[in-house]
Amino acid sequence: MVTKETKQKIEELRKKLHRWNHAYYVLDNPEVDDAVYDAVMRELIELEKKYPELVTPDSPSLRIGTEPVSIFKKVTHKTPLYSLDNAVSFEELEEWEERIFRVLGGKQDIDYVCEMKIDGLAVALTYKDSLLTLGATRGDGDVGEDVTNNIKTIKSIPLILNKSVNGLLEVRGEVFMPIKSFEKLNNEQKEKEEKIFANPRNAASGSLRQYDSRITANRDLDIFIYAGVWDACVIASPLARNDRLPTTHWESLQMLYELGFKINKTSKLCHNLKEVRDFCNVWYEKKRELPYAIDGVVIKVNNLSLHEELGFTAKSPRWAIAYKYPPEEAKTKVLSISCDVGRTGALTPVANLEPVLLAGTVVKRASLHNQDIIDKLDVREGDIVTVRKAGEIIPEVVEVDKEKRHHKKEKYKLPSKCPVCHSRIEREEDESALRCVNFNCPAQVQRRIDHWCSRDAMDVDGVGESLIEQLFKNKLINDPIDLYFLKQKDLEELERMAEKSATNAITSIQNSKNRTLDRLIYAFGIRHVGKTIAELLSSRIHSIEELSDASLDELIKIDGIGPKIAKSIVDYFSTTYSKQMIEKLKKAGIKPEVKKIKRKESEISGKTLVVTGILESLTRNEAEELIKNHGARAASSISRNTDYLVCGSDPGSKLTKAKEFGIPVLTEQEFLKLVK
Ligand SMILES: [Zn+2]
């Protein structure tokens, strides 16, 4: 039975979360700490679990995603999302204005609004009586896909409007992924050996179009709203500016902002084409300061009644145009094609280029990814190619100028043997990468040591790639831990090694002995174990030894560790190499710093507990946290090793199983007494 108090409580929590969310993601002015936000969100989720009938379509709990769907429903847009005509020069902008004058029957003063053209994907969001009811992709402009559940996970999109609007309000915006998040995602994808996104737009599109909205929720997507379709709605509660519908595009943007939407603050109202031109020029110079990728500026006529007058061509509005910045491309010559061998033996073909200035940096190498891409481009040594830099990622070869090919070089084939150690090359099933099979391949050994020293791993900043190469060639190191046995003298005897850099290197090696466990796990360079997974493991496992002893079953039980990762870990620790590493770790005195959690001694210390059902005063997570803080283990399922089952209401199968095994069952009160 749902009480009035419960309903009120839920209502209250939602209001708080909506307000905090808006303050954080739209106004960029947080009102509370993340921890407070999380705690209130957890409280709401627990209540909704208990009373599923009270879940509403605007509940902030939908931000974390919902059950996956098997297809996206098609959505026919009420008003089509037109594409824009492009201008690539200021002359073309002037011609556009001329065309406007012709339609309007003469020259006149026109205000324009300039907005960043963001490299993302367009969506249409429908609000019915202030409530978000539909989120759809642009698709072909007429028909898109219903991605409402995914849209709801984007935190800068209001689920309910700040002010009351009756009827239907449709808004359009550009969903994008900030450059930093894009780079982070690609790093994670690389660690997991999953698909790398070519640019932020692909990443945004791939993330939004996930059948499982929980994946979307974990991708850092954002949005700028740039238009409203106002003709089917009535503004019920007056806005600060007015309670009538907007008459200019600029006014429309301000009203959208008041309703709770995130609009782009860089947008500018210009009073003539010269101001537009200045805006374009200024941002061309400054575009790298923006946290997201743009490829131009969208220019719109400000007066909405002129929109009516100007209308549309067959495919685009006459009142708007996209001014495109020249792409960051340059032509240069491929001097040679070589093949890098990575830490796990993966071969990556690379074009070595005649140095060329591109987007403010000198580019000497461009990735060719794999044989398929080389074949598609048909790139050969000696070719003149176009290289492009998108965002901050590694430059790519996008095109070969075949007209300028005056050599008779053959097509490039990836080597059939490792270019470094001449061992066999293998392609694993379901994988595009070719790998050198020799674990002792000098390239692999050195890359492993590089990885160990990298900033996110053991952060040994005095030891770089070239020093590692020198040490390796002089047979002073053969694995990362050898670094810790180096003497000052060993380094000083190396060529071109100053006393000071030798001291620096030794100091930074020694200083890295007590990094945290997550860094140590990551430093081992186990396949599929990236930074995030290493952090997850370190929160459940107390030492490298414990990790090396963990069975497949134990690992899979950890939420977030799938069979592929678990198998990779078990395989890794079954090798002689890993066993030697662990032995040497001790000798070298490498001991991870234990994150200090105040552990309290109590009756449950050292025991294994499982929590099930709904507890009254604690969430499941809080209960498990409490268990860990008392030096006990919180397991996710019942086994013969379980000491206690903490049982709330609606316990399910765990209670049956516990009884079967004769495991003592604690009520919430009994449990709380034990940990007091
Ligand atoms: Zn090799």
Side-chain angles (χ1 to χ4, degrees):
M1 179 58 200
V2 182
T3 62
K4 211 173 124 199
E5 285 73 33
T6 313
K7 272 188 184 161
Q8 264 173 5
K9 177 81 193 164
I10 287 186
E11 196 56 30
E12 214 176 279
L13 295 176
R14 283 182 190 153
K15 272 206 181 117
K16 267 190 203 166
L17 289 167
H18 280 310
R19 196 181 71 233
W20 293 343
N21 198 73
H22 180 250
Y24 190 101
Y25 291 99
V26 178
L27 305 178
D28 201 14
N29 184 20
E31 283 185 16
V32 292
D33 277 355
D34 291 357
V36 177
Y37 182 94
D38 290 346
V40 172
M41 178 68 102
R42 269 208 309 269
E43 201 181 342
L44 174 66
I45 291 171
E46 290 298 324
L47 276 174
E48 287 184 349
K49 261 192 209 151
K50 218 159 150 184
Y51 308 104
E53 67 272 30
L54 295 185
V55 180
T56 53
D58 69 328
S59 175
S61 62
L62 300 170
R63 298 281 189 204
I64 58 171
T66 48
E67 289 297 308
V69 295
S70 52
I71 48 153
F72 292 126
K73 272 184 279 175
K74 297 279 178 220
V75 176
T76 305
H77 297 296
K78 285 208 171 62
T79 324
L81 281 82
Y82 287 93
S83 59
L84 296 182
D85 279 337
N86 290 327
V88 294
S89 65
F90 291 123
E91 287 71 41
E92 289 186 8
L93 276 187
E94 281 162 12
E95 287 166 19
W96 170 63
E97 189 177 55
E98 287 299 324
R99 287 199 297 276
I100 290 177
F101 290 156
R102 270 205 300 279
V103 177
L104 297 179
K107 217 173 158 167
Q108 53 174 280
D109 289 336
I110 295 181
D111 287 348
Y112 298 101
V113 176
C114 288
E115 296 163 30
M116 294 300 163
K117 187 171 180 302
I118 293 165
D119 212 6
L121 78 156
V123 294
L125 314 177
T126 306
Y127 289 78
K128 186 167 184 248
D129 298 335
S130 303
L131 213 64
L132 175 64
T133 51
L134 176 67
T137 59
R138 176 180 181 276
D140 62 5
D142 291 315
V143 179
E145 288 170 329
D146 179 347
V147 288
T148 312
N149 289 343
N150 305 39
I151 283 288
K152 284 181 177 175
T153 68
I154 301 176
K155 299 188 187 65
S156 44
I157 294 178
L159 303 176
I160 182 164
L161 300 178
N162 275 354
K163 303 280 168 83
S164 155
V165 174
N166 294 338
L168 290 179
L169 170 64
E170 187 186 310
V171 300
R172 274 97 189 260
E174 190 86 356
V175 170
F176 64 95
M177 186 177 283
I179 293 171
K180 279 227 171 78
S181 313
F182 162 68
E183 286 169 350
K184 188 167 163 260
L185 173 63
N186 261 355
N187 280 336
E188 286 170 9
Q189 293 288 102
K190 204 170 144 194
E191 289 291 350
K192 286 191 271 181
E193 294 178 20
E194 280 171 18
K195 191 184 147 202
I196 300 284
F197 296 101
N199 52 47
R201 179 169 37 80
N202 287 356
S205 169
S207 300
L208 187 64
R209 298 181 64 254
Q210 289 283 339
Y211 289 135
D212 188 343
S213 55
R214 291 168 298 193
I215 297 177
T216 312
N218 282 321
R219 303 278 174 86
D220 186 21
L221 294 177
D222 203 344
I223 194 168
F224 283 123
I225 299 296
Y226 56 71
V229 183
W230 301 93
D231 45 16
C233 73
V234 176
I235 301 190
S237 58
L239 302 183
R241 313 185 123 246
N242 51 30
D243 53 1
R244 55 180 171 79
L245 297 178
T247 58
T248 65
H249 179 58
W250 189 248
E251 208 174 53
S252 174
L253 291 176
Q254 309 312 312
M255 285 170 70
L256 289 167
Y257 181 68
E258 266 184 70
L259 292 177
F261 292 106
K262 183 165 176 173
I263 60 165
N264 195 331
K265 292 272 173 59
T266 60
S267 302
K268 190 173 180 234
L269 178 60
C270 297
H271 301 293
N272 52 52
L273 211 56
K274 188 189 168 296
E275 286 182 29
V276 168
R277 194 179 168 142
D278 291 344
F279 181 90
C280 294
N281 280 334
V282 165
W283 281 106
Y284 182 64
E285 292 305 319
K286 291 205 300 183
K287 69 186 174 121
R288 245 165 275 134
E289 294 170 18
L290 293 168
Y292 42 82
I294 62 165
D295 58 359
V297 173
V298 174
I299 302 143
K300 293 172 188 161
V301 170
N302 188 36
N303 190 332
L304 294 180
S305 64
L306 289 183
H307 288 203
E308 298 255 319
E309 253 181 87
L310 289 164
F312 297 81
T313 66
K315 59 177 189 63
S316 334
R318 289 198 185 86
W319 42 265
I321 196 160
Y323 173 74
K324 286 229 178 183
Y325 288 142
E328 306 206 307
E329 291 182 348
K331 286 205 165 189
T332 187
K333 189 174 173 182
V334 177
L335 299 174
S336 64
I337 297 175
S338 59
C339 220
D340 282 354
V341 182
R343 190 180 89 224
T344 57
L347 264 52
T348 313
V350 176
N352 300 296
L353 308 167
E354 211 162 73
V356 61
L357 194 66
L358 183 60
T361 53
V362 177
V363 171
K364 293 180 198 156
R365 286 155 63 88
S367 173
L368 294 171
H369 303 286
N370 56 45
Q371 185 73 56
D372 293 346
I373 292 191
I374 293 177
D375 292 345
K376 218 167 114 195
L377 289 165
D378 185 20
V379 53
R380 307 178 192 191
E381 293 182 339
D383 279 350
I384 301 295
V385 294
T386 305
V387 271
R388 177 185 295 166
K389 211 172 169 205
E392 297 300 309
I393 51 174
I394 323 149
E396 285 181 301
V397 172
V398 288
E399 202 180 26
V400 176
D401 189 343
K402 303 250 168 73
E403 307 255 299
K404 294 213 173 105
R405 180 182 283 166
H406 303 302
H407 59 75
K408 294 250 165 55
K409 289 268 170 62
E410 297 286 310
K411 279 184 191 265
Y412 181 82
K413 282 277 163 237
L414 277 171
S416 54
K417 283 183 174 160
C418 172
V420 177
C421 71
H422 312 292
S423 298
R424 199 158 39 84
I425 297 289
E426 262 179 13
R427 184 196 286 246
E428 275 173 40
E429 247 180 280
D430 310 326
E431 256 195 60
S432 60
L434 296 171
R435 283 171 206 286
C436 159
V437 296
N438 176 12
F439 187 77
N440 296 313
C441 170
Q444 291 190 44
V445 172
Q446 288 175 57
R447 294 295 86 76
R448 281 201 290 270
I449 304 173
D450 282 346
H451 175 75
W452 180 279
C453 296
S454 65
R455 200 190 306 162
D456 289 336
M458 300 300 265
D459 193 15
V460 188
D461 60 3
V463 180
E465 234 172 87
S466 60
L467 178 57
I468 289 170
E469 189 179 347
Q470 242 183 326
L471 290 167
F472 177 77
K473 285 196 171 144
N474 283 283
K475 299 199 164 51
L476 288 165
I477 54 173
N478 203 39
D479 66 49
I481 303 176
D482 287 338
L483 287 171
Y484 297 85
F485 298 98
L486 288 173
K487 303 269 178 322
Q488 173 96 12
K489 202 176 100 278
D490 297 329
L491 289 172
E492 279 173 13
E493 279 168 7
L494 294 175
E495 264 176 67
R496 300 189 310 271
M497 176 57 88
E499 194 188 320
K500 190 158 168 275
S501 357
T503 315
N504 271 348
I506 296 285
T507 314
S508 65
I509 292 168
Q510 294 305 320
N511 284 347
S512 72
K513 278 184 179 173
N514 305 104
R515 300 279 184 239
T516 47
L517 181 61
D518 56 322
R519 284 170 170 272
L520 182 63
I521 295 173
Y522 176 62
F524 266 76
I526 305 161
R527 274 176 72 188
H528 308 303
V529 179
K531 241 177 87 179
T532 323
I533 297 295
E535 275 165 23
L536 176 64
L537 287 168
S538 75
S539 70
R540 299 301 170 87
I541 273 168
H542 307 95
S543 66
I544 271 288
E545 289 81 359
E546 195 182 327
L547 182 62
S548 72
D549 290 340
S551 70
L552 207 57
D553 283 348
E554 282 167 323
L555 289 168
I556 290 173
K557 266 185 206 154
I558 300 176
D559 207 11
I561 305 289
K564 192 162 111 183
I565 300 172
K567 184 173 182 301
S568 171
I569 295 171
V570 171
D571 286 352
Y572 180 86
F573 285 110
S574 66
T575 59
T576 336
Y577 171 80
S578 71
K579 294 198 170 89
Q580 284 168 355
M581 286 274 284
I582 290 174
E583 272 312 302
K584 280 171 84 171
L585 214 57
K586 286 181 202 148
K587 277 190 207 138
I590 298 170
K591 216 170 161 253
E593 172 200 332
V594 180
K595 283 188 184 161
K596 285 186 187 64
I597 305 167
K598 272 186 219 147
R599 291 198 188 283
K600 297 175 189 164
E601 280 304 307
S602 76
E603 296 208 25
I604 64 164
S605 300
K607 303 247 159 78
T608 300
L609 285 81
V610 174
V611 184
T612 188
I614 300 153
L615 303 179
E616 286 293 324
S617 63
L618 299 167
T619 66
R620 179 82 58 88
N621 283 340
E622 284 164 349
E624 291 182 351
E625 209 48 43
L626 208 54
I627 291 171
K628 281 187 233 160
N629 289 346
H630 283 78
R633 206 169 81 88
S636 57
S637 60
I638 300 275
S639 73
R640 288 185 193 282
N641 301 326
T642 312
D643 292 298
Y644 293 109
L645 175 71
V646 180
C647 188
S649 53
D650 287 336
S653 67
K654 280 179 193 161
L655 181 62
T656 329
K657 209 164 172 196
K659 282 183 177 155
E660 224 171 85
F661 288 154
I663 293 162
V665 178
L666 300 174
T667 64
E668 183 173 350
Q669 295 315 315
E670 287 167 333
F671 165 66
L672 289 173
K673 256 184 218 153
L674 284 182
V675 295
K676 274 274 155 63

